[in-house]
Structures are given as C-alpha cells and as structure tokens.
Amino acid sequence: MKATVHVMLKTGVLDPQGEAVHHALRNLGFKTVNSVRQGKVIELDLLDETDETDVNDMCEKLLANTVIESYKIDFS
Amino acid sequence: MKATVHVMLKTGVLDPQGEAVHHALRNLGFKTVNSVRQGKVIELDLLDETDETDVNDMCEKLLANTVIESYKIDFS
C-alpha cells in the first residue's frame, strides 16, 4: 500500500520559501505568477495490513506541525 | 489558473530526509513502514493567460534539479 502525504503551511502563515521562489521566477522573466506556496510531499510505502488511521497518527505526531501546517493523505 | 508541481528525487538517488523520517516513524512505533521518500510540492497561482509550457520551463530552469530530481505538473 502506498500513501502520499501533502503538508502545506496553513493559509495566513508566512511562507518565506514560497516567496523566495516567487522572486526568483520573476527575476527569470516569468511575470504571470501571482503567488507561490511551497510544501512537502512524503511518499510512504506501507505493508498492506497498515491501518489507514495509523497514517493519520503519523501526520499528527511527526509529519506535520499542526499548529502551522495542514496535511492531506491520499492512498493508492 | 493554478498549477501544482511535485518534485521528487529520482529512483536510486539517496534520500537522507526520507531515511530520517523513516527512522523517526519506526522509533515512534510505526512498524509497518517499508520506505519513505520526501519531496517538494510547489503551488503556483498563475494568471489565466499563462502558457502551460511556461510552467514546464519554470521546472526546468528553477524548481527542479533535473540531474537528480523528476517533476510532475498538475493544472487545475
């Protein structure tokens, strides 16, 4: 079983990495970019017997800082 | 228009961040994790007139290091 976890900074939390990418894109001549947000993607290769709630626990305990980050889990 | 870019290390490229997450998950008691790969996700908010090939250029020039990283673009 595979799970893909997307971790993004919550709306309103300053994203200096995204800002840096935005500036760099503008300097390269890409003028049609309004804003950029950068986050993490974590691909987990799991044993088939893994409980889906375990993946939720992994996010809450380690993968995301839920004070400032939101996460989304996709199973495949 | 929004574009989401996923940047992952290519298969075979050592991923120390993913390894660190894997070890941390095992230490937390999650024993059903076979492997972990960590990458970046970049959300671009673009003007509607943006050419989709421009986003490809952004990846080639800035967002991904194509020597060691692969990227995938989703438009929405």
Side-chain angles (χ1 to χ4, degrees):
Chain A
M1 188 170 76
K2 286 189 185 286
T4 305
V5 179
H6 287 87
V7 180
M8 298 297 293
L9 287 166
K10 288 182 179 171
T11 313
V13 178
L14 197 69
D15 177 7
Q17 263 190 309
E19 284 299 304
V21 170
H22 190 187
H23 284 289
L25 286 172
R26 291 190 81 85
N27 290 340
L28 283 171
F30 298 106
K31 303 294 186 195
T32 62
V33 183
N34 286 326
S35 69
V36 181
R37 304 282 287 175
Q38 185 169 331
K40 298 182 285 190
V41 57
I42 300 149
E43 290 185 355
L44 301 164
D45 184 46
L46 302 160
L47 295 181
D48 286 339
E49 67 257 34
T50 310
D51 200 329
E52 294 194 0
T53 58
D54 276 356
V55 182
N56 209 65
D57 286 349
M58 292 177 200
C59 293
E60 293 284 336
K61 288 184 180 169
L62 182 76
L63 303 180
N65 174 355
T66 54
V67 177
I68 56 168
E69 293 173 326
S70 60
Y71 62 87
K72 187 167 66 77
I73 305 167
D74 295 308
F75 292 98
S76 56
Chain B
M1 187 170 79
K2 286 190 185 285
T4 305
V5 179
H6 287 87
V7 181
M8 298 295 295
L9 287 166
K10 288 182 179 172
T11 313
V13 178
L14 198 68
D15 178 6
Q17 263 189 310
E19 284 299 304
V21 171
H22 190 187
H23 284 288
L25 286 172
R26 290 191 81 85
N27 290 340
L28 283 171
F30 298 107
K31 303 295 186 196
T32 62
V33 183
N34 286 326
S35 69
V36 181
R37 305 283 286 174
Q38 184 169 335
K40 298 182 285 193
V41 56
I42 300 149
E43 290 184 356
L44 301 164
D45 184 46
L46 302 160
L47 295 180
D48 286 338
E49 67 257 32
T50 310
D51 199 330
E52 295 195 359
T53 59
D54 276 355
V55 182
N56 209 65
D57 285 350
M58 292 177 201
C59 292
E60 292 285 337
K61 287 184 180 170
L62 183 76
L63 303 180
N65 174 356
T66 54
V67 177
I68 55 168
E69 292 173 325
S70 60
Y71 61 89
K72 186 167 66 79
I73 305 168
D74 295 308
F75 292 97
S76 57

